[in-house]
Amino acid sequence: MELPIFYDEAELWNNTLLLYDSALREINTKLEILNNEFKLAHQYNPIEHITSRIKSSESIAKKIRHNNRELKVENIIKYVNDVAGIRIICSFTSDIYRIADLIAKQSDVKVLKVKDYIMCPKENGYSSYHMIVSVPIYLSNQVIDTKVEIQIRTIAMDFWASLEHKIYYKFEGNAPEHIRAELKECAEIVGYLDKKMLSLNEEIKNYSHCEVQ
Ligand code: GTP
Ligand code: MG
């Protein structure tokens, strides 16, 4: 991201926040359009729901400190990829890849990084599809590419991630071994459930409306 020139760090930060907020709006609109188009063509929503957030200043500062960098706007823009974050919750795993592909194909979106924790879940069992993208934000006298972190997961993956997050914070990252083992087992059940639900959904597509009744 090229920096607009401001002499005051606070002014620069306010203008940077405006960029992140605008980038979230851009991606949200793109997703809404894709979802509506899909609904029209296939009579169902690939997206269950979307949440978005701007990272809190405390979390940004913590991340910058954790990386041993000076807390400057320039460093935040360069090193914190998730200042603007969007989470897309889908019903089926196939929808995740469909949405990811449709986002990546848009000519104004640049995909900077992809992490497929569905193909390769994390050691703790975490599963989700992550993209860091940038979108151009058109200001009055310049265009600034702005980064957004997109997390795409199924309802079941989201259910698991919420509980894992809660447990992680409760035990400050040191949950007892049996809890970690049970969480991992739950992650395997989530994977199994997602596969079962997808194949069931595929199967019912072959039935006509009256056959289902
Ligand atoms: P940060 O974790 O944001 O510092 O970046 P990273 O480079 O490790 O990126 P990654 O794509 O692995 O994770 C980005 C985000 O995904 C995190 O900030 C969390 O919101 C989510 N995430 C990653 N791993 C886990 C996990 O094990 N459990 C849960 N609940 N969420 C996770
Ligand atoms: Mg994060």
Side-chain angles (χ1 to χ4, degrees):
M1 186 198 282
E2 211 177 296
L3 279 178
I5 296 161
F6 292 104
Y7 296 101
D8 179 87
E9 190 75 358
E11 191 188 0
L12 174 58
W13 181 235
N14 282 338
N15 282 276
T16 305
L17 278 178
L18 174 81
L19 291 173
Y20 284 121
D21 181 66
S22 310
L24 281 183
R25 286 167 196 270
E26 288 242 346
I27 300 280
N28 264 313
T29 304
K30 284 176 182 298
L31 292 168
E32 206 178 312
I33 294 169
L34 289 172
N35 204 32
N36 289 343
E37 184 204 4
F38 201 88
K39 194 175 167 189
L40 207 61
H42 305 282
Q43 287 78 48
Y44 95 94
N45 292 316
I47 298 174
E48 274 288 326
H49 64 271
I50 300 171
T51 55
S52 58
R53 62 100 182 96
I54 297 284
K55 202 176 184 73
S56 70
S57 25
E58 294 80 32
S59 303
I60 293 173
K62 202 167 142 195
K63 207 162 198 175
I64 288 283
R65 250 184 271 120
H66 184 78
N67 289 341
N68 291 321
R69 298 192 196 273
E70 196 188 338
L71 188 57
K72 286 196 321 191
V73 178
E74 192 186 336
N75 283 343
I76 296 171
I77 292 169
K78 218 167 173 177
Y79 300 110
V80 183
N81 284 334
D82 63 343
V83 176
I86 290 198
R87 189 169 289 157
I88 307 168
I89 312 298
C90 300
S91 295
F92 303 104
T93 319
S94 53
D95 294 328
I96 296 178
Y97 290 103
R98 187 175 288 132
I99 295 289
D101 189 49
L102 291 171
I103 296 168
K105 276 207 303 231
Q106 302 213 346
S107 59
D108 57 343
V109 175
K110 283 190 199 120
V111 179
L112 307 175
K113 200 159 136 190
V114 168
K115 284 192 196 169
D116 188 348
Y117 292 125
I118 298 170
M119 284 288 283
C120 303
K122 280 178 64 174
E123 185 47 38
N124 61 3
Y126 178 77
S127 181
S128 196
Y129 190 91
H130 294 184
M131 303 167 90
I132 307 292
V133 303
S134 75
V135 280
I137 302 301
Y138 288 81
L139 299 178
S140 52
N141 56 357
Q142 60 189 328
V143 182
I144 302 184
D145 278 340
T146 305
K147 278 189 279 189
V148 177
E149 181 192 74
I150 305 177
Q151 298 179 353
I152 321 177
R153 26 171 107 143
T154 61
I155 303 167
M157 290 172 195
D158 193 47
F159 185 32
W160 184 94
S162 309
L163 182 61
E164 191 275 343
H165 184 73
K166 201 162 139 190
I167 291 172
Y168 186 89
Y169 275 93
K170 183 127 195 152
F171 294 97
E172 290 170 346
N174 290 307
E177 179 52 38
H178 79 277
I179 290 188
R180 279 189 277 149
E182 283 196 46
L183 258 179
K184 190 148 182 187
E185 201 187 314
C186 287
E188 279 154 22
I189 297 170
V190 162
Y192 176 74
L193 178 65
D194 275 338
K195 280 198 187 80
K196 275 285 226 196
M197 295 289 264
L198 177 62
S199 68
L200 207 53
N201 190 54
E202 292 302 312
E203 193 190 328
I204 63 161
K205 278 186 197 162
N206 300 324
Y207 286 83
S208 70
H209 190 58
C210 16
E211 273 176 306
V212 175
Q213 284 179 344

